[in-house]
Amino acid sequence: LDLATAADVQRALDRAEASDAREIVLDLSGLRFIDSTGLRLVIAAHARSRSDGDRLRLLRGSEPVHKVFEHLAALRVIRDTGAVPAPPG
């Protein structure tokens, strides 16, 4: 999730956020890399979710990506969103 892919992800989030879905899952399970653009996108989506019923859930990414989110949680930038664990394998 980087500068090249963030716009597509943002459009998908915009559609999901405009819907009446009770839960929005951002699937990071195939993600191997996230840059500052991707982080900014996820942090902003998280902030919007907090003011809109806490609908956003993150599906855990690869270990390096997950470590980034652990650090953000530790810094209180993103609190634990009730992330869904990645499926085994």
Side-chain angles (χ1 to χ4, degrees), residues 34-68:
I34 188 166
D35 74 359
S36 60
T37 305
L39 288 173
R40 186 172 46 248
L41 182 148
V42 174
I43 291 167
H46 176 68
R48 290 190 305 273
S49 176
R50 289 187 69 182
S51 67
D52 186 31
D54 266 344
R55 299 188 298 163
L56 182 66
R57 300 291 177 264
L58 303 178
L59 185 60
R60 181 182 171 148
S62 65
E63 193 59 30
V65 170
H66 182 68
K67 289 282 187 198
V68 171

Side-chain angles (χ1 to χ4, degrees), residues 4-50:
T5 59
D8 293 336
V9 174
Q10 185 62 59
R11 281 189 290 275
L13 279 170
D14 290 344
R15 285 191 303 274
E17 291 169 352
S19 77
D20 61 354
R22 292 182 341 147
E23 186 173 79
I24 299 168
V25 177
L26 184 55
D27 183 353
L28 306 176
S29 63
L31 195 61
R32 302 283 174 239
F33 175 79
I34 188 166
D35 74 359
S36 60
T37 305
L39 288 173
R40 186 172 46 248
L41 182 148
V42 174
I43 291 167
H46 176 68
R48 290 190 305 273
S49 176
R50 289 187 69 182

